[in-house]
């Protein structure tokens, strides 16, 4: 029987949760779900200066929000814990003692200044800067002398000479590195805390991870990790390195390109389903043309075979298009709930409204349902219901009101509005029809000037929706104000 697939997401809680991290988490989640495997969440918190509990909370909340639940790890428990690296120091120590005893690792007493000087000298000589092995073969006396000086040693891994390290990456295919290009690297810092490359190997091995799927930036760490797997007598997992995410200008995605953290997208009112669908397509290209995938469809279709080698491009227009699809699928109640925080933030709602006001707000918000791509666009899409100050959007819009038939159309509208008892949608339809008929005008000759006078714009939501929501007095006031700007006083 094949071994159960065990994958992991192992973030460092050192700042905002980047969409690149979310994509790595998603690919691991999809693999686990597809193969009936397990997703483990491990927190790599060994960077004491930059790790914060807030960042960890933020990552966990974002994963939950995205619906990427994990089976084992922090908060979920499991048999391979603890799942915070800082709680695993005794475990690392055991392996360090083993490597030291076997001569596969050694203490290094070099100071930062000495290392810096070595690096500079190598660079000046046009050589690759790396550790040249000064402390590789210290005698016990030399070590004791350094100790006596009060130097605190690091532990370095003794990189075997002349080895070609080969592996088949699930994304990049066959990859090889020469061990001679890798200097003996630090596995435990002078404060006793392991480095990333060391802790990750022990954790992945002891947590029985079968597939390590992570960002491309870790590809060059993999040969070091493989040397450690071999030295520690652990089986190597399979590795897959997913491509960088680039902005549309083909430069590495950064703040310059807009929002980069999951939380920013959540706050802008993107939907988890939309973001997950979009992130799945960042580097994974299914064989057909399909772009909208439910989670079930993603799980079914996902495979590392279709994860592309070339960089993924973050196209916000595509994200908006995908998210709009999911916005449209919300029920009216869900859409209103999604709109609320944005309506409150823009001052259009307080959240304390009474029943009747809420009913009106629901109807107002509903007019934006088909139009917007994400929540933060809603206030602007309904702003006309909250402010009667507006100008003509374009000279073309204003020109519409200079057409010959406009005074006739508007005079008729004024009379009919005044006479109407109710102005709901059907009543407005009747009014527009009768203006057309009585004056022998085409539909556009009636609708367009009314629309421009009411909104300043030639495009927008249905006229028959707007009148009932504004009420006839307010609607007429808006129209009359626009008309007076072009010299028609009614
Ligand atoms: N803590 C590492 C990071 O956040 C994990 C890399 C890995 O998956 O091995 O980049």
């Amino acid at each position: 029987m094949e071994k159960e697939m065990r994958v992991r997401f192992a973030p460092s809680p050192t700042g905002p949760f980047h969409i690149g991290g979310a994509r790595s988490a998603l690919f691991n989640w999809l693999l686990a779900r597809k193969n009936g495997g397990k997703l483990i969440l491990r927190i790599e918190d060994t960077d004491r200066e930059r790790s914060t509990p807030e960042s960890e909370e933020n990552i966990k909340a974002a994963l939950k929000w995205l619906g990427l639940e994990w089976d084992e790890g922090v908060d979920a428990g499991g048999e391979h814990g603890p799942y915070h690296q800082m709680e695993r120091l005794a475990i690392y120590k055991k392996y360090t003692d083993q490597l030291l005893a076997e001569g596969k690792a050694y203490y290094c007493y070099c100071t930062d200044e000495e290392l810096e000087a070595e690096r500079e000298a190598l660079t000046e000589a046009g050589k690759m800067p790396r550790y040249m092995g000064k402390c590789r073969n210290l005698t016990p006396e030399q070590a004791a002398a350094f100790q006596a000086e009060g130097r605190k040693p690091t532990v370095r891994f003794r990189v075997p000479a002349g080895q070609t390290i080969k592996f088949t990456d699930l994304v990049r295919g066959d990859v090889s590195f020469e061990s001679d290009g890798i200097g003996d690297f630090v596995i435990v810092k002078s404060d006793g805390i392991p480095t990333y490359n060391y802790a990750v190997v022990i954790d992945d091995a002891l947590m029985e991870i079968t597939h390590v799927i992570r960002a491309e930036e870790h590809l060059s760490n993999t040969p070091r990790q493989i040397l450690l797997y071999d030295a520690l007598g652990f089986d190597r997992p399979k590795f897959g390195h997913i491509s960088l995410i680039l902005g549309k200008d083909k430069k590495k995605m950064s703040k310059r390109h807009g929002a980069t953290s999951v939380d920013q997208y959540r706050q802008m009112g993107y939907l988890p389903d939309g973001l997950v669908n979009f992130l799945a397509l960042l580097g994974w290209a299914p064989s057909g043309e399909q772009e909208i995938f439910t989670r079930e469809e993603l799980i079914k279709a996902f495979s590392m075979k279709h994860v592309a080698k070339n960089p993924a491009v973050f196209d916000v227009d595509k994200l908006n298009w995908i998210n709009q699809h999911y916005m449209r699928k919300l029920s009216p109640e869900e859409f209103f709930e999604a709109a609320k925080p944005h309506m409150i933030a823009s001052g259009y709602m307080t959240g304390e409204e009474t029943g009747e006001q809420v009913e009106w707000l629901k109807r107002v918000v509903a007019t934006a349902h088909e139009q917007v791509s994400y929540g933060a666009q809603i206030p602007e899409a309904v702003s006309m219901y909250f402010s009667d100050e507006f100008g003509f959007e374009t000279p073309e819009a204003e020109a519409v009101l200079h057409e010959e038939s406009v005074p006739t159309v508007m005079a008729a509208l004024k009379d009919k509005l005044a006479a109407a008892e109710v102005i709901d949608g059907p009543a407005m339809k009747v009014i527009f029809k009768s203006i057309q008929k009585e004056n022998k005008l085409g539909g556009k000759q009636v609708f367009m000037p009314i629309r421009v006078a009411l909104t300043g714009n030639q495009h927008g939501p249905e006229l028959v929706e707007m009148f009932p929501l504004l009420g006839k007095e307010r609607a007429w006031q808006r129209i009359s104000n626009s008309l007076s700007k072009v010299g028609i006083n009614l």
Side-chain angles (χ1 to χ4, degrees), residues 8 10-12 44 196 200 212 214 217-218:
R8 81 324 186 251
S12 305
E44 304 209 326
Y196 156 70
V200 76
V212 169
R214 61 185 168 202
E217 63 202 16
H218 288 293

Side-chain angles (χ1 to χ4, degrees), residues 328-349:
R328 288 179 175 174
K329 286 179 81 137
L330 296 179
S331 69
E333 289 72 34
E334 289 168 332
F335 186 74
F336 184 61
E337 285 309 312
K340 253 191 204 165
H342 306 285
M343 293 294 284
I344 292 174
S346 63
Y348 291 164
M349 255 179 96

Side-chain angles (χ1 to χ4, degrees), residues 62-195:
L63 290 173
K64 284 183 199 156
W65 177 74
L66 288 168
L68 306 180
E69 70 284 357
W70 54 101
D71 308 293
E72 202 182 297
V74 285
D75 296 355
E79 289 168 13
H80 302 73
Y83 295 96
H84 283 96
Q85 289 190 323
M86 284 309 285
E87 292 169 19
R88 299 174 63 80
L89 297 184
I91 300 173
Y92 308 129
K93 169 111 188 5
K94 190 181 119 206
Y95 288 98
T96 311
D97 290 344
Q98 179 189 318
L99 289 175
L100 284 166
E102 292 171 350
K104 292 177 181 169
Y106 59 89
Y107 287 113
C108 168
Y109 295 89
C110 294
T111 61
D112 287 347
E113 294 73 42
E114 286 165 346
L115 294 171
E116 185 51 38
E118 178 176 85
R119 215 171 295 138
E120 268 172 30
L122 283 170
T123 313
E124 256 168 49
K127 291 192 183 136
M128 264 266 284
R130 63 196 164 96
Y131 184 66
M132 297 303 284
K134 208 161 155 194
C135 295
R136 223 171 197 243
N137 300 306
L138 292 183
T139 62
E141 294 73 33
Q142 286 170 311
F146 283 134
Q147 298 262 20
E149 276 179 40
R151 294 195 189 199
K152 284 227 174 322
T154 58
V155 179
R156 282 186 189 271
F157 178 67
R158 198 184 292 274
V159 173
Q163 263 195 29
T164 304
I165 305 145
K166 289 193 191 139
F167 64 99
T168 304
D169 190 274
L170 294 170
V171 179
R172 330 207 85 77
D174 290 339
V175 189
S176 74
F177 290 88
E178 297 305 322
S179 71
D180 290 343
I182 306 173
D184 293 351
F185 55 93
V186 174
I187 56 174
V188 183
K189 291 179 281 181
S190 57
D191 56 6
I193 296 180
T195 56

Side-chain angles (χ1 to χ4, degrees), residues 211-379:
H211 297 71
V212 169
I213 310 299
R214 61 185 168 202
E216 185 183 352
E217 63 202 16
H218 288 293
L219 185 64
S220 60
N221 285 320
T222 305
R224 289 177 177 75
Q225 294 175 19
I226 286 179
L227 290 172
L228 286 167
Y229 275 97
D230 295 353
L232 290 161
F234 293 138
D235 287 342
R236 301 177 185 179
K238 290 199 166 72
F239 294 96
H241 289 89
I242 31 186
S243 302
L244 290 179
I245 301 178
L246 305 183
K248 260 189 160 171
D249 57 359
K250 304 280 156 74
K251 301 228 168 77
K252 194 174 173 199
M253 180 81 179
S254 74
K255 292 206 178 93
R256 274 184 309 113
H257 296 98
T260 54
S261 78
V262 175
D263 215 43
Q264 285 171 301
Y265 285 96
R266 185 183 60 76
Q267 283 178 21
M268 284 192 273
Y270 285 87
L271 299 170
D273 283 342
L275 209 51
V276 159
N277 190 151
F278 173 72
L279 290 175
L281 298 176
L282 270 187
W284 169 69
S287 25
E289 297 285 299
Q290 187 178 350
E291 298 210 279
I292 298 291
F293 288 85
T294 63
R295 282 169 202 255
E296 290 67 36
E297 287 171 331
L298 281 178
I299 292 168
K300 209 160 156 229
F302 189 80
S303 113
M304 289 303 291
K305 279 203 197 83
H306 292 114
V307 174
K309 257 193 233 171
N310 35 5
V313 175
F314 191 99
D315 177 352
V316 82
D317 295 328
K318 184 162 172 184
L319 168 61
N320 287 345
W321 177 79
I322 291 175
N323 203 66
Q324 180 168 48
H325 169 87
Y326 290 95
M327 291 297 269
R328 288 179 175 174
K329 286 179 81 137
L330 296 179
S331 69
E333 289 72 34
E334 289 168 332
F335 186 74
F336 184 61
E337 285 309 312
K340 253 191 204 165
H342 306 285
M343 293 294 284
I344 292 174
S346 63
Y348 291 164
M349 255 179 96
T350 60
E352 317 264 300
E353 282 80 5
T354 59
E356 207 179 312
Q357 290 167 318
V358 171
E359 283 319 304
W360 180 76
L361 283 165
K362 277 189 180 162
R363 287 166 58 211
V364 163
V365 163
T367 63
H369 200 153
E370 292 294 310
Q371 300 175 50
V372 297
S373 297
Y374 53 95
Q377 291 180 327
I378 297 171

